[in-house]
Amino acid sequence: MKALQERAQTVLNNNFKEGFSIPCAKLYPFQWFWDSGLIAIGFAHFDMQKAEQEIETLLDAQWENGFIPHIIFHTDTDTYFPGPDFHRSDLHPQSSKKYKSTGMTQPPVTGFVLEEMYRISKDKVATLKYIETVIDKVYDNHNYFFTKRDPQNEGLVYIYHNWESGTDNSPIWDDIWDTMDPPEYTFERRDTTHVDAAERPSKREYDHYLYIIDIAKEHNYSDEKIAELSPFLVQDPLFNAILIKSNQSLINLYELLGDYSKVEQLKQWQNKSVKAFNDKLFDEELGAYIHYDLRNEKPLRYLSSSSFAPLYANIPSKERADVMVKVMMEKFGGDQQYLCASFDPTSERFNPKKYWRGPVWINLNWMLFKGLKQYGFSEIAERVKQDTIEIIEKNGFYEYFDSRKEMHKDGTAGYGGNDFSWSAALLIDLLN
Ligand code: 9WN
Protein backbone atom coordinates (compact mmCIF):
# COMPACT_ATOMS: atom_id res chain seq x y z
CA MET A 1 0.00 0.00 0.00
CA LYS A 2 2.94 2.29 0.65
CA ALA A 3 3.98 2.11 -3.00
CA LEU A 4 0.45 2.94 -4.13
CA GLN A 5 0.36 5.90 -1.81
CA GLU A 6 3.69 7.15 -3.11
CA ARG A 7 2.40 6.90 -6.66
CA ALA A 8 -0.65 8.89 -5.62
CA GLN A 9 1.56 11.62 -4.18
CA THR A 10 3.54 11.77 -7.42
CA VAL A 11 0.32 12.20 -9.41
CA LEU A 12 -0.68 15.10 -7.17
CA ASN A 13 2.74 16.74 -7.24
CA ASN A 14 2.89 16.49 -11.03
CA ASN A 15 -0.55 18.02 -11.44
CA PHE A 16 0.20 20.93 -9.11
CA LYS A 17 1.03 24.02 -11.19
CA GLU A 18 1.51 27.57 -9.95
CA GLY A 19 -0.63 27.64 -6.85
CA PHE A 20 -3.37 25.31 -8.11
CA SER A 21 -3.88 21.81 -9.48
CA ILE A 22 -5.17 20.64 -12.81
CA PRO A 23 -7.50 17.63 -12.63
CA CYS A 24 -5.50 15.80 -15.28
CA ALA A 25 -2.83 16.63 -17.88
CA LYS A 26 -4.05 17.43 -21.41
CA LEU A 27 -7.76 16.68 -20.87
CA TYR A 28 -8.38 19.31 -18.16
CA PRO A 29 -5.68 22.02 -18.18
CA PHE A 30 -7.26 24.53 -15.74
CA GLN A 31 -8.50 24.70 -12.14
CA TRP A 32 -11.92 23.13 -11.48
CA PHE A 33 -13.94 23.99 -8.38
CA TRP A 34 -14.86 20.65 -6.83
CA ASP A 35 -11.70 18.95 -8.05
CA SER A 36 -9.64 21.59 -6.29
CA GLY A 37 -11.36 21.05 -2.98
CA LEU A 38 -11.02 17.27 -3.10
CA ILE A 39 -7.39 17.55 -4.17
CA ALA A 40 -6.67 19.73 -1.11
CA ILE A 41 -7.83 16.83 1.10
CA GLY A 42 -5.15 14.62 -0.47
CA PHE A 43 -2.43 17.24 -0.12
CA ALA A 44 -3.38 17.86 3.52
CA HIS A 45 -1.91 14.43 4.32
CA PHE A 46 1.60 15.24 3.13
CA ASP A 47 1.89 18.90 2.11
CA MET A 48 -0.45 21.21 4.01
CA GLN A 49 1.04 24.26 2.36
CA LYS A 50 -0.08 23.09 -1.07
CA ALA A 51 -3.52 22.22 0.29
CA GLU A 52 -3.86 25.74 1.65
CA GLN A 53 -2.61 27.34 -1.54
CA GLU A 54 -5.05 25.31 -3.60
CA ILE A 55 -8.02 26.67 -1.66
CA GLU A 56 -6.61 30.19 -1.53
CA THR A 57 -6.24 30.32 -5.32
CA LEU A 58 -9.74 28.98 -5.79
CA LEU A 59 -11.20 31.60 -3.46
CA ASP A 60 -9.15 34.32 -5.11
CA ALA A 61 -11.32 33.81 -8.19
CA GLN A 62 -14.55 34.40 -6.24
CA TRP A 63 -16.92 37.02 -7.68
CA GLU A 64 -18.15 40.03 -5.74
CA ASN A 65 -21.52 38.35 -5.19
CA GLY A 66 -19.94 35.31 -3.50
CA PHE A 67 -20.18 33.06 -6.56
CA ILE A 68 -17.28 30.66 -7.23
CA PRO A 69 -16.88 29.58 -10.86
CA HIS A 70 -16.56 25.99 -12.01
CA ILE A 71 -13.45 26.52 -14.14
CA ILE A 72 -10.79 29.18 -13.59
CA PHE A 73 -8.79 29.71 -16.75
CA HIS A 74 -5.35 30.41 -15.31
CA THR A 75 -3.48 29.68 -18.50
CA ASP A 76 -3.99 30.46 -22.14
CA THR A 77 -4.41 27.16 -23.92
CA ASP A 78 -6.78 26.03 -26.61
CA THR A 79 -6.51 22.34 -25.74
CA TYR A 80 -9.89 22.44 -23.94
CA PHE A 81 -13.26 23.30 -25.38
CA PRO A 82 -15.22 25.41 -24.53
CA GLY A 83 -12.62 27.87 -23.25
CA PRO A 84 -12.79 31.44 -21.90
CA ASP A 85 -13.86 33.01 -25.19
CA PHE A 86 -16.98 30.90 -25.25
CA HIS A 87 -17.85 31.29 -21.57
CA ARG A 88 -17.24 35.06 -21.34
CA SER A 89 -17.44 35.53 -17.56
CA ASP A 90 -16.77 39.25 -18.14
CA LEU A 91 -20.44 39.62 -19.11
CA HIS A 92 -21.46 39.43 -15.47
CA PRO A 93 -21.00 42.83 -13.76
CA GLN A 94 -19.66 41.27 -10.56
CA SER A 95 -17.32 38.69 -12.07
CA SER A 96 -13.63 38.55 -11.13
CA LYS A 97 -11.53 41.18 -12.81
CA LYS A 98 -8.42 39.12 -12.15
CA TYR A 99 -9.36 35.76 -13.68
CA LYS A 100 -11.35 34.60 -16.67
CA SER A 101 -13.72 31.82 -15.74
CA THR A 102 -16.95 30.10 -16.61
CA GLY A 103 -20.26 31.62 -15.53
CA MET A 104 -21.45 28.45 -13.87
CA THR A 105 -20.47 26.76 -10.63
CA GLN A 106 -19.93 23.24 -9.25
CA PRO A 107 -20.80 21.32 -6.05
CA PRO A 108 -19.67 23.59 -3.17
CA VAL A 109 -17.23 21.32 -1.39
CA THR A 110 -15.09 24.06 0.17
CA GLY A 111 -16.77 24.11 3.61
CA PHE A 112 -16.34 20.41 4.29
CA VAL A 113 -12.86 20.46 2.74
CA LEU A 114 -11.74 22.99 5.35
CA GLU A 115 -13.10 20.76 8.09
CA GLU A 116 -11.34 17.73 6.58
CA MET A 117 -8.08 19.70 6.47
CA TYR A 118 -8.50 20.50 10.14
CA ARG A 119 -9.20 16.84 10.95
CA ILE A 120 -6.11 15.69 9.03
CA SER A 121 -3.78 18.44 10.27
CA LYS A 122 -1.02 17.57 12.70
CA ASP A 123 -0.75 21.24 13.68
CA LYS A 124 -4.34 22.12 14.53
CA VAL A 125 -3.52 25.58 15.84
CA ALA A 126 -1.82 26.61 12.59
CA THR A 127 -4.58 25.09 10.45
CA LEU A 128 -7.28 26.83 12.43
CA LYS A 129 -5.45 30.09 11.94
CA TYR A 130 -5.39 29.46 8.22
CA ILE A 131 -9.10 28.60 8.22
CA GLU A 132 -9.83 31.89 9.94
CA THR A 133 -8.35 33.74 6.95
CA VAL A 134 -10.60 32.07 4.36
CA ILE A 135 -13.80 30.95 6.07
CA ASP A 136 -15.76 34.16 5.47
CA LYS A 137 -15.36 33.73 1.74
CA VAL A 138 -16.92 30.32 1.97
CA TYR A 139 -19.74 31.80 4.02
CA ASP A 140 -20.27 34.40 1.26
CA ASN A 141 -20.48 31.56 -1.22
CA HIS A 142 -23.24 29.88 0.82
CA ASN A 143 -25.00 33.20 1.15
CA TYR A 144 -24.94 33.45 -2.65
CA PHE A 145 -26.51 30.00 -3.01
CA PHE A 146 -29.26 30.41 -0.46
CA THR A 147 -30.24 33.91 -1.59
CA LYS A 148 -29.74 33.69 -5.37
CA ARG A 149 -30.33 30.06 -6.31
CA ASP A 150 -33.60 29.36 -4.52
CA PRO A 151 -36.30 31.36 -6.35
CA GLN A 152 -39.21 29.78 -4.47
CA ASN A 153 -37.46 30.11 -1.13
CA GLU A 154 -37.71 26.40 -0.44
CA GLY A 155 -34.32 25.68 1.11
CA LEU A 156 -33.11 23.83 -2.00
CA VAL A 157 -30.84 25.44 -4.56
CA TYR A 158 -31.01 24.97 -8.31
CA ILE A 159 -28.34 24.19 -10.85
CA TYR A 160 -28.87 25.53 -14.34
CA HIS A 161 -26.42 23.40 -16.27
CA ASN A 162 -25.44 19.75 -16.28
CA TRP A 163 -21.79 20.82 -15.88
CA GLU A 164 -22.78 22.42 -12.57
CA SER A 165 -23.86 19.00 -11.29
CA GLY A 166 -20.41 17.52 -11.86
CA THR A 167 -22.18 14.43 -13.25
CA ASP A 168 -22.15 15.80 -16.76
CA ASN A 169 -23.89 13.30 -19.02
CA SER A 170 -25.92 11.39 -16.46
CA PRO A 171 -28.90 9.60 -18.09
CA ILE A 172 -31.06 11.70 -15.78
CA TRP A 173 -30.48 14.67 -18.06
CA ASP A 174 -31.85 12.74 -21.07
CA ASP A 175 -35.36 13.67 -19.92
CA ILE A 176 -34.40 17.34 -20.06
CA TRP A 177 -32.72 17.05 -23.45
CA ASP A 178 -36.06 15.64 -24.70
CA THR A 179 -37.69 18.99 -23.86
CA MET A 180 -35.11 20.98 -25.88
CA ASP A 181 -34.14 21.33 -29.51
CA PRO A 182 -30.90 23.32 -29.65
CA PRO A 183 -29.26 24.40 -32.91
CA GLU A 184 -26.47 22.27 -34.38
CA TYR A 185 -23.27 24.03 -33.29
CA THR A 186 -20.07 23.95 -35.31
CA PHE A 187 -17.08 23.57 -33.05
CA GLU A 188 -13.95 21.56 -32.56
CA ARG A 189 -14.14 19.10 -29.68
CA ARG A 190 -10.82 18.74 -27.82
CA ASP A 191 -11.76 16.07 -25.25
CA THR A 192 -12.08 13.38 -27.91
CA THR A 193 -8.55 14.05 -29.12
CA HIS A 194 -7.30 13.04 -25.65
CA VAL A 195 -9.78 10.28 -24.77
CA ASP A 196 -11.73 7.60 -26.70
CA ALA A 197 -15.01 9.18 -27.92
CA ALA A 198 -16.90 6.08 -26.72
CA GLU A 199 -16.10 7.16 -23.15
CA ARG A 200 -17.29 10.77 -23.59
CA PRO A 201 -20.62 12.60 -24.21
CA SER A 202 -21.94 12.77 -27.79
CA LYS A 203 -21.77 15.79 -30.13
CA ARG A 204 -25.53 16.25 -29.85
CA GLU A 205 -25.26 16.35 -26.07
CA TYR A 206 -22.62 19.07 -26.40
CA ASP A 207 -25.07 21.12 -28.53
CA HIS A 208 -27.40 21.16 -25.54
CA TYR A 209 -24.58 22.09 -23.17
CA LEU A 210 -23.53 25.05 -25.34
CA TYR A 211 -27.06 26.25 -25.95
CA ILE A 212 -27.83 26.57 -22.23
CA ILE A 213 -24.70 28.70 -21.83
CA ASP A 214 -25.74 30.90 -24.75
CA ILE A 215 -29.08 31.59 -23.08
CA ALA A 216 -27.35 32.52 -19.83
CA LYS A 217 -24.90 34.75 -21.70
CA GLU A 218 -27.70 36.57 -23.49
CA HIS A 219 -28.73 37.72 -20.01
CA ASN A 220 -25.21 38.41 -18.76
CA TYR A 221 -25.42 35.43 -16.40
CA SER A 222 -28.15 37.08 -14.32
CA ASP A 223 -29.34 34.58 -11.69
CA GLU A 224 -32.89 35.91 -11.88
CA LYS A 225 -33.07 35.60 -15.67
CA ILE A 226 -31.53 32.14 -15.58
CA ALA A 227 -34.14 31.04 -13.04
CA GLU A 228 -36.82 32.43 -15.31
CA LEU A 229 -35.54 31.17 -18.66
CA SER A 230 -33.03 28.35 -18.51
CA PRO A 231 -34.41 25.14 -20.04
CA PHE A 232 -32.27 23.28 -17.52
CA LEU A 233 -33.22 24.08 -13.91
CA VAL A 234 -32.79 21.22 -11.48
CA GLN A 235 -32.65 20.55 -7.75
CA ASP A 236 -29.88 17.99 -7.60
CA PRO A 237 -29.54 15.74 -4.51
CA LEU A 238 -25.74 15.48 -4.82
CA PHE A 239 -25.26 19.22 -5.18
CA ASN A 240 -27.65 20.08 -2.34
CA ALA A 241 -26.22 17.35 -0.08
CA ILE A 242 -22.74 18.77 -0.59
CA LEU A 243 -23.99 22.26 0.22
CA ILE A 244 -25.64 20.96 3.38
CA LYS A 245 -22.53 19.03 4.42
CA SER A 246 -20.35 22.10 3.84
CA ASN A 247 -22.82 24.28 5.69
CA GLN A 248 -22.61 22.02 8.75
CA SER A 249 -18.82 22.22 8.50
CA LEU A 250 -18.98 26.01 8.54
CA ILE A 251 -21.09 25.88 11.70
CA ASN A 252 -18.59 23.50 13.34
CA LEU A 253 -15.59 25.58 12.32
CA TYR A 254 -17.04 28.94 13.34
CA GLU A 255 -17.84 27.39 16.74
CA LEU A 256 -14.28 26.13 17.02
CA LEU A 257 -13.05 29.62 16.19
CA GLY A 258 -15.31 31.07 18.85
CA ASP A 259 -16.92 33.34 16.26
CA TYR A 260 -20.69 33.09 16.59
CA SER A 261 -21.66 36.04 14.40
CA LYS A 262 -22.80 33.92 11.45
CA VAL A 263 -23.75 30.71 13.21
CA GLU A 264 -27.40 31.52 13.65
CA GLN A 265 -27.89 32.31 9.98
CA LEU A 266 -26.06 29.14 9.01
CA LYS A 267 -28.26 27.09 11.32
CA GLN A 268 -31.41 28.61 9.86
CA TRP A 269 -30.31 27.67 6.35
CA GLN A 270 -29.30 24.24 7.57
CA ASN A 271 -32.59 23.34 9.26
CA LYS A 272 -34.67 24.58 6.39
CA SER A 273 -32.58 22.76 3.77
CA VAL A 274 -32.44 19.43 5.52
CA LYS A 275 -36.21 19.48 5.99
CA ALA A 276 -36.93 20.48 2.39
CA PHE A 277 -34.48 17.88 1.14
CA ASN A 278 -36.23 15.11 3.04
CA ASP A 279 -39.72 16.34 2.18
CA LYS A 280 -39.16 16.88 -1.51
CA LEU A 281 -36.35 14.72 -2.81
CA PHE A 282 -37.00 11.34 -1.18
CA ASP A 283 -38.86 8.92 -3.43
CA GLU A 284 -40.70 6.39 -1.23
CA GLU A 285 -41.22 3.93 -4.04
CA LEU A 286 -37.62 3.92 -5.21
CA GLY A 287 -36.31 4.04 -1.64
CA ALA A 288 -33.73 6.78 -2.26
CA TYR A 289 -33.27 10.45 -3.13
CA ILE A 290 -33.88 11.71 -6.66
CA HIS A 291 -33.50 14.86 -8.77
CA TYR A 292 -36.31 17.36 -9.28
CA ASP A 293 -36.83 19.19 -12.58
CA LEU A 294 -37.82 22.68 -11.48
CA ARG A 295 -38.34 23.99 -15.00
CA ASN A 296 -40.90 21.35 -15.91
CA GLU A 297 -42.06 20.84 -12.29
CA LYS A 298 -41.58 17.10 -12.17
CA PRO A 299 -39.47 14.58 -10.28
CA LEU A 300 -36.80 12.75 -12.30
CA ARG A 301 -37.31 9.28 -10.95
CA TYR A 302 -33.96 7.53 -11.45
CA LEU A 303 -31.40 5.97 -9.15
CA SER A 304 -27.78 7.07 -9.43
CA SER A 305 -24.82 7.27 -7.07
CA SER A 306 -26.08 10.80 -6.29
CA SER A 307 -29.18 9.15 -4.74
CA PHE A 308 -27.04 7.81 -1.89
CA ALA A 309 -24.73 10.81 -1.40
CA PRO A 310 -27.08 12.36 1.22
CA LEU A 311 -25.74 9.73 3.64
CA TYR A 312 -22.51 11.72 3.69
CA ALA A 313 -24.37 14.86 4.75
CA ASN A 314 -26.29 13.06 7.50
CA ILE A 315 -29.60 13.92 5.84
CA PRO A 316 -31.70 10.71 6.07
CA SER A 317 -33.05 9.33 9.32
CA LYS A 318 -31.61 5.96 10.38
CA GLU A 319 -34.78 4.25 9.11
CA ARG A 320 -34.45 5.88 5.71
CA ALA A 321 -30.78 5.07 5.58
CA ASP A 322 -31.64 1.39 6.13
CA VAL A 323 -34.02 1.48 3.17
CA MET A 324 -31.50 3.29 0.96
CA VAL A 325 -28.67 0.90 1.72
CA LYS A 326 -30.92 -2.09 1.00
CA VAL A 327 -31.83 -0.59 -2.38
CA MET A 328 -28.20 0.22 -3.11
CA MET A 329 -27.04 -3.30 -2.34
CA GLU A 330 -29.85 -4.91 -4.35
CA LYS A 331 -29.40 -2.81 -7.47
CA PHE A 332 -25.77 -1.67 -7.41
CA GLY A 333 -24.09 -4.19 -5.12
CA GLY A 334 -24.29 -7.57 -6.95
CA ASP A 335 -21.27 -9.94 -6.78
CA GLN A 336 -20.24 -9.04 -10.30
CA GLN A 337 -20.33 -5.28 -9.74
CA TYR A 338 -17.87 -2.97 -8.08
CA LEU A 339 -19.50 -0.44 -5.79
CA CYS A 340 -20.73 2.06 -6.72
CA ALA A 341 -21.85 2.48 -10.33
CA SER A 342 -22.75 6.07 -11.13
CA PHE A 343 -26.09 5.03 -12.60
CA ASP A 344 -28.59 2.25 -11.87
CA PRO A 345 -27.10 -0.97 -13.35
CA THR A 346 -30.62 -2.43 -13.74
CA SER A 347 -31.76 0.43 -16.01
CA GLU A 348 -31.81 0.38 -19.81
CA ARG A 349 -29.88 3.64 -19.78
CA PHE A 350 -26.95 2.13 -17.90
CA ASN A 351 -23.64 2.15 -19.79
CA PRO A 352 -20.68 1.01 -17.66
CA LYS A 353 -18.08 2.53 -20.03
CA LYS A 354 -19.48 5.94 -20.65
CA TYR A 355 -18.54 8.69 -18.22
CA TRP A 356 -21.43 9.40 -15.82
CA ARG A 357 -23.80 6.83 -17.36
CA GLY A 358 -22.51 3.92 -15.28
CA PRO A 359 -18.78 3.84 -14.42
CA VAL A 360 -17.52 4.02 -10.84
CA TRP A 361 -16.09 7.40 -9.74
CA ILE A 362 -13.69 7.74 -6.83
CA ASN A 363 -15.15 10.96 -5.45
CA LEU A 364 -18.62 9.47 -5.09
CA ASN A 365 -17.17 6.31 -3.54
CA TRP A 366 -15.27 8.41 -1.03
CA MET A 367 -18.44 10.22 0.05
CA LEU A 368 -20.34 6.98 0.19
CA PHE A 369 -17.66 5.34 2.31
CA LYS A 370 -17.81 8.18 4.82
CA GLY A 371 -21.59 8.26 4.82
CA LEU A 372 -21.98 4.52 5.33
CA LYS A 373 -19.51 4.54 8.19
CA GLN A 374 -21.30 7.41 9.84
CA TYR A 375 -24.56 5.43 9.88
CA GLY A 376 -22.86 2.29 11.22
CA PHE A 377 -22.83 0.23 8.00
CA SER A 378 -19.23 -0.77 8.66
CA GLU A 379 -19.06 -3.85 6.44
CA ILE A 380 -20.55 -2.19 3.41
CA ALA A 381 -18.38 0.86 3.96
CA GLU A 382 -15.36 -1.45 4.03
CA ARG A 383 -16.47 -3.03 0.76
CA VAL A 384 -16.69 0.41 -0.88
CA LYS A 385 -13.20 1.19 0.40
CA GLN A 386 -11.70 -2.12 -0.77
CA ASP A 387 -13.41 -1.88 -4.16
CA THR A 388 -11.96 1.60 -4.58
CA ILE A 389 -8.43 0.49 -3.72
CA GLU A 390 -8.72 -2.59 -5.94
CA ILE A 391 -9.86 -0.80 -9.09
CA ILE A 392 -7.06 1.74 -8.75
CA GLU A 393 -4.46 -0.95 -8.03
CA LYS A 394 -5.56 -2.95 -11.05
CA ASN A 395 -5.85 -0.12 -13.56
CA GLY A 396 -4.10 3.03 -12.36
CA PHE A 397 -5.32 6.45 -11.22
CA TYR A 398 -8.01 6.83 -13.86
CA GLU A 399 -10.88 9.27 -13.98
CA TYR A 400 -13.55 6.51 -13.90
CA PHE A 401 -13.75 2.74 -13.98
CA ASP A 402 -15.93 0.02 -15.44
CA SER A 403 -18.32 -1.21 -12.77
CA ARG A 404 -18.30 -4.80 -14.13
CA LYS A 405 -15.74 -6.99 -12.37
CA GLU A 406 -15.26 -9.20 -15.41
CA MET A 407 -13.76 -6.24 -17.29
CA HIS A 408 -10.91 -5.85 -14.80
CA LYS A 409 -8.85 -8.87 -15.85
CA ASP A 410 -6.10 -7.17 -17.81
CA GLY A 411 -5.86 -3.70 -16.25
CA THR A 412 -7.74 -1.88 -19.00
CA ALA A 413 -10.94 -1.04 -17.15
CA GLY A 414 -9.90 2.51 -16.22
CA TYR A 415 -11.37 5.12 -18.54
CA GLY A 416 -11.18 8.84 -19.33
CA GLY A 417 -8.06 10.67 -18.18
CA ASN A 418 -5.17 8.89 -16.44
CA ASP A 419 -3.19 10.21 -13.47
CA PHE A 420 -6.35 11.95 -12.41
CA SER A 421 -5.89 14.16 -9.36
CA TRP A 422 -8.92 13.45 -7.18
CA SER A 423 -8.55 9.68 -7.69
CA ALA A 424 -5.06 10.04 -6.21
CA ALA A 425 -6.05 12.52 -3.51
CA LEU A 426 -8.99 10.57 -2.16
CA LEU A 427 -7.13 7.28 -2.27
CA ILE A 428 -4.54 8.85 0.02
CA ASP A 429 -7.31 9.88 2.38
CA LEU A 430 -8.86 6.40 2.32
CA LEU A 431 -5.53 4.77 3.12
CA ASN A 432 -4.87 7.01 6.13
C1 9WN B 1 -16.72 19.83 -17.49
C2 9WN B 1 -12.74 18.08 -14.14
C3 9WN B 1 -14.20 17.89 -14.48
C4 9WN B 1 -15.00 17.35 -13.29
C5 9WN B 1 -16.41 16.94 -13.71
C6 9WN B 1 -16.28 15.95 -14.87
C7 9WN B 1 -15.54 16.60 -16.03
C8 9WN B 1 -15.77 18.66 -17.48
C9 9WN B 1 -15.66 18.11 -18.90
O1 9WN B 1 -14.25 16.99 -15.60
O2 9WN B 1 -16.29 17.70 -16.53
O3 9WN B 1 -16.76 20.43 -16.24
O4 9WN B 1 -15.08 18.80 -19.73
O5 9WN B 1 -16.14 17.01 -19.19
O6 9WN B 1 -17.53 15.49 -15.26
O7 9WN B 1 -17.09 16.35 -12.63
O8 9WN B 1 -15.07 18.32 -12.31
O9 9WN B 1 -12.22 16.91 -13.62
Side-chain angles (χ1 to χ4, degrees), residues 23 28 32 34-35 70 80 106 163 166-168 200 206 355-356 361 399 420 422:
Y28 305 127
W32 259 258
W34 75 329
D35 296 70
H70 116 283
Y80 181 84
Q106 257 191 333
W163 278 334
T167 60
D168 303 359
R200 296 284 307 176
Y206 261 73
Y355 211 35
W356 290 97
W361 286 74
E399 189 181 3
F420 190 75
W422 80 40

Side-chain angles (χ1 to χ4, degrees), residues 316-334:
S317 62
K318 178 72 177 99
E319 293 69 44
R320 260 191 190 172
D322 287 343
V323 174
M324 288 164 72
V325 172
K326 197 163 165 267
V327 169
M328 185 185 86
M329 292 312 284
E330 273 169 19
K331 302 219 166 181
F332 294 66

Side-chain angles (χ1 to χ4, degrees), residues 48 63 65 72 76 120 134 145 196 222 225 263 346 388:
M48 191 57 94
W63 296 6
N65 58 355
I72 300 142
D76 232 353
I120 296 162
V134 291
F145 278 120
D196 185 348
S222 145
K225 284 289 177 196
V263 170
T346 67
T388 308

Side-chain angles (χ1 to χ4, degrees), residues 17 35 42 94 118 129 152 180 241 316 337 415:
K17 304 299 165 192
D35 296 70
Q94 291 177 301
Y118 179 74
K129 261 199 179 147
Q152 296 171 32
M180 291 169 59
Q337 290 285 323
Y415 305 138

Side-chain angles (χ1 to χ4, degrees), residues 7 63 80-81 83 86 105 129 136 140 176 212 220 244 263 275 299 311 340 349 414 418 423 427:
R7 276 171 54 207
W63 296 6
Y80 181 84
F81 177 83
F86 188 86
T105 190
K129 261 199 179 147
D136 285 349
D140 292 346
I176 299 176
I212 306 170
N220 300 332
I244 287 171
V263 170
K275 185 171 183 320
L311 289 167
C340 178
R349 294 185 183 182
N418 193 2
S423 299
L427 180 90

Side-chain angles (χ1 to χ4, degrees), residues 39-300:
I39 290 164
I41 294 174
F43 271 130
H45 286 277
F46 66 100
D47 191 339
M48 191 57 94
Q49 216 191 331
K50 284 206 181 103
E52 292 178 358
Q53 248 189 306
E54 184 76 47
I55 299 300
E56 247 166 61
T57 310
L58 176 73
L59 294 175
D60 198 33
Q62 184 169 37
W63 296 6
E64 274 166 46
N65 58 355
F67 173 92
I68 299 174
H70 116 283
I71 307 176
I72 300 142
F73 298 111
H74 291 280
T75 42
D76 232 353
T77 162
D78 62 359
T79 57
Y80 181 84
F81 177 83
D85 298 343
F86 188 86
H87 284 285
R88 296 277 319 273
S89 55
D90 58 295
L91 292 171
H92 192 286
Q94 291 177 301
S95 63
S96 166
K97 307 291 172 280
K98 190 167 169 187
Y99 301 100
K100 290 180 183 174
S101 73
T102 59
M104 66 177 83
T105 190
Q106 257 191 333
V109 295
T110 336
F112 78 68
V113 167
L114 291 180
E115 196 178 15
E116 290 287 348
M117 283 166 64
Y118 179 74
R119 173 187 61 82
I120 296 162
S121 173
K122 292 187 184 68
D123 184 349
K124 305 257 189 250
V125 176
T127 304
L128 204 56
K129 261 199 179 147
Y130 166 77
I131 290 172
E132 199 170 9
T133 65
V134 291
I135 191 167
D136 285 349
K137 293 189 178 177
V138 185
Y139 175 88
D140 292 346
N141 186 231
H142 287 212
N143 185 40
Y144 162 80
F145 278 120
F146 288 116
T147 58
K148 297 288 188 189
R149 290 284 187 117
D150 183 8
Q152 296 171 32
N153 199 12
E154 292 175 88
L156 294 171
V157 305
Y158 73 70
I159 54 172
Y160 81 87
H161 199 287
N162 54 303
W163 278 334
E164 290 201 316
S165 70
T167 60
D168 303 359
N169 69 337
S170 170
I172 295 162
W173 315 137
D174 295 1
D175 283 22
I176 299 176
W177 310 146
D178 283 348
T179 68
M180 291 169 59
D181 187 18
E184 297 261 358
Y185 283 81
T186 310
F187 59 95
E188 197 188 334
R189 283 278 284 275
R190 304 315 300 257
D191 55 331
T192 44
T193 61
H194 309 301
V195 164
D196 185 348
E199 297 163 14
R200 296 284 307 176
S202 68
K203 152 79 171 68
R204 191 60 186 143
E205 279 171 297
Y206 261 73
D207 287 338
H208 293 81
Y209 306 173
L210 300 179
Y211 183 55
I212 306 170
I213 299 173
D214 269 341
I215 295 172
K217 283 197 307 197
E218 250 172 60
H219 300 281
N220 300 332
Y221 289 113
S222 145
D223 296 302
E224 291 74 21
K225 284 289 177 196
I226 287 172
E228 196 187 315
L229 299 167
S230 177
F232 187 111
L233 208 72
V234 170
Q235 289 164 328
D236 179 319
L238 175 62
F239 196 100
N240 277 280
I242 286 179
L243 180 61
I244 287 171
K245 176 75 184 176
S246 277
N247 208 58
Q248 185 58 49
S249 291
L250 289 187
I251 296 172
N252 301 345
L253 291 171
Y254 272 122
E255 287 182 348
L256 262 174
L257 286 163
D259 174 356
Y260 296 93
S261 57
K262 302 183 181 70
V263 170
E264 202 180 313
Q265 176 62 77
L266 285 163
K267 284 187 176 165
Q268 269 178 31
W269 287 331
Q270 190 72 354
N271 294 338
K272 189 169 169 181
S273 293
V274 172
K275 185 171 183 320
F277 198 111
N278 273 312
D279 289 349
K280 190 170 181 182
L281 302 183
F282 193 77
D283 187 303
E284 296 284 349
E285 227 172 281
L286 290 174
Y289 294 91
I290 54 162
H291 295 67
Y292 188 84
D293 177 350
L294 207 53
R295 172 58 61 237
N296 301 297
E297 288 292 359
K298 64 168 204 198
L300 298 166

